[in-house]
Amino acid sequence: MIAVLKNEICSYFTNMAAYVISAFLLFFAGIYTMVYNLNYAVANYEVVLSGMSFIFLVIVPILTMRVIAEERHQKTDQLLYSLPLSMGKIILGKYLAMLCIFLIPIAVICIYPIILSAFGNVSFPVAYTAILGFFLLGASLIAIGTFVSSVTESQAVAAGLCFVVMLLNYFLSSLSSFVSSSAISSVAALTICILLFSIVFYLLTKNSWVSAGIGAILEVITWIVYVADSSKLEGLFGTIMEELSLFEQFQVFVDGILDLTGVVYFLSVIVFFLFLSIQSMEKRRWSE
């Protein structure tokens, strides 16, 4: 795994990706710090991180688009299969390499609150809690981008799909507000989500019976709850979407709250999508 980690880190610095990502992130961090903290004389650095969270829509697709898609395009994934390593260690090595690249600008950002403390009273616990949340948000989105890269052979397609996924997650809470809070609206919205989940599950497993079965079970449970007590479904879809939104979870850290539930949620997303990445690679490995 260490060899994969070192090789990936070297490749990112060789093709300028690490420099571009670090420069891009620090460029916007500097602009937002100047606008929010210096121009408005506000010492709350967490406001900067909250305002620039949209930056992940750009840097995550750039960082993750080549991690596996390029291997599949150039057929070098066959070399990965021949390594005396489990696919889990290979994926983990690639993921940790991307985290190391992401940690470089994060380390620089950690200095900003200290600098700002010379010009005002900075709440360090709040500022660094927000930075921790910013890192966990980025780590979770990178894990999602890794999975997206594992399902295609084109870097452009991987970047485009990753951007769409990031964008949907960014506006997930806002989009859910367009759904009525009535019980039947929640049922309709949940039905669409169940259908999409079944399709994704089928694409990963190619098992139509299991995919259809899981979808049918979830749909039956939804209707049982609706018939038994429809009031439990009122506003449920919006609540679920807010809880699933990674960016909404990040806002809790921006408020200076070290939410252990949020930490567990971010870590769960990381583990889940890395697991899906491993399964995607294993599926391709045994299908050839």
Side-chain angles (χ1 to χ4, degrees):
M1 187 183 74
I2 300 298
V4 175
L5 173 63
K6 290 180 179 179
N7 181 69
E8 287 295 312
I9 291 178
C10 290
S11 67
Y12 278 112
F13 281 102
T14 300
N15 63 17
M16 298 295 292
Y19 304 103
V20 171
I21 291 168
S22 297
F24 197 73
L25 183 55
L26 292 176
F27 174 73
F28 278 92
I31 290 178
Y32 272 74
T33 300
M34 180 183 68
V35 172
Y36 282 114
N37 296 129
L38 300 181
N39 284 2
Y40 294 118
V42 176
N44 300 328
Y45 188 70
E46 60 276 8
V47 179
V48 171
L49 298 176
S50 177
M52 61 178 286
S53 61
F54 76 92
I55 202 70
F56 288 117
L57 303 181
V58 178
I59 66 171
V60 172
I62 294 175
L63 180 62
T64 62
M65 64 181 184
R66 59 168 295 276
V67 62
I68 299 175
E70 183 63 11
E71 299 272 11
R72 296 179 62 175
H73 177 68
Q74 296 183 355
K75 306 302 180 184
T76 53
D77 57 336
Q78 302 300 323
L79 297 176
L80 296 179
Y81 301 145
S82 64
L83 291 176
L85 294 173
S86 66
M87 193 53 62
K89 290 183 178 180
I90 293 173
I91 294 296
L92 186 58
K94 287 177 171 290
Y95 175 72
L96 290 178
M98 290 185 288
L99 275 192
C100 290
I101 301 301
F102 178 53
L103 275 172
I104 295 173
I106 292 295
V108 177
I109 286 175
C110 287
I111 303 174
Y112 284 30
I114 300 175
I115 297 175
L116 291 174
S117 65
F119 304 95
N121 295 321
V122 177
S123 176
F124 289 112
V126 175
Y128 286 106
T129 297
I131 292 176
L132 173 62
F134 192 76
F135 169 73
L136 290 174
L137 173 62
S140 301
L141 295 176
I142 290 172
I144 296 174
T146 302
F147 168 65
V148 173
S149 181
S150 72
V151 299
T152 180
E153 297 182 1
S154 170
Q155 290 191 53
V157 173
L161 286 176
C162 187
F163 174 77
V164 171
V165 173
M166 302 294 110
L167 189 66
L168 286 175
N169 196 278
Y170 186 78
F171 290 108
L172 195 60
S173 179
S174 300
L175 291 173
S176 65
S177 64
F178 290 99
V179 178
S180 173
S181 60
S182 65
I184 191 62
S185 296
S186 293
V187 170
L190 289 172
T191 298
I192 294 174
C193 291
I194 291 171
L195 178 61
L196 292 174
F197 174 79
S198 299
I199 293 174
V200 172
F201 190 86
Y202 169 73
L203 293 175
L204 290 174
T205 63
K206 297 299 182 182
N207 192 321
S208 57
W209 288 104
V210 174
S211 303
I214 292 175
I217 291 172
L218 293 174
E219 187 65 19
V220 168
I221 292 174
T222 301
W223 280 101
I224 288 175
V225 174
Y226 176 75
V227 173
D229 187 2
S230 61
S231 62
K232 292 183 178 181
L233 294 176
E234 293 179 357
L236 178 63
F237 181 74
T239 302
I240 292 176
M241 291 300 100
E242 288 185 2
E243 293 297 325
L244 290 178
S245 174
L246 293 169
F247 291 90
E248 286 296 320
Q249 294 288 338
F250 167 60
Q251 291 304 316
V252 178
F253 290 83
V254 172
D255 294 334
I257 302 173
L258 183 56
D259 184 18
L260 293 181
T261 302
V263 173
V264 172
Y265 178 65
F266 283 127
L267 294 178
S268 300
V269 169
I270 293 171
V271 172
F272 177 69
F273 280 97
L274 289 182
F275 172 76
L276 290 183
S277 301
I278 294 169
Q279 296 307 306
S280 177
M281 293 294 290
E282 288 285 3
K283 176 178 174 295
R284 179 177 174 83
R285 178 181 190 175
W286 297 111
S287 64
E288 296 182 349

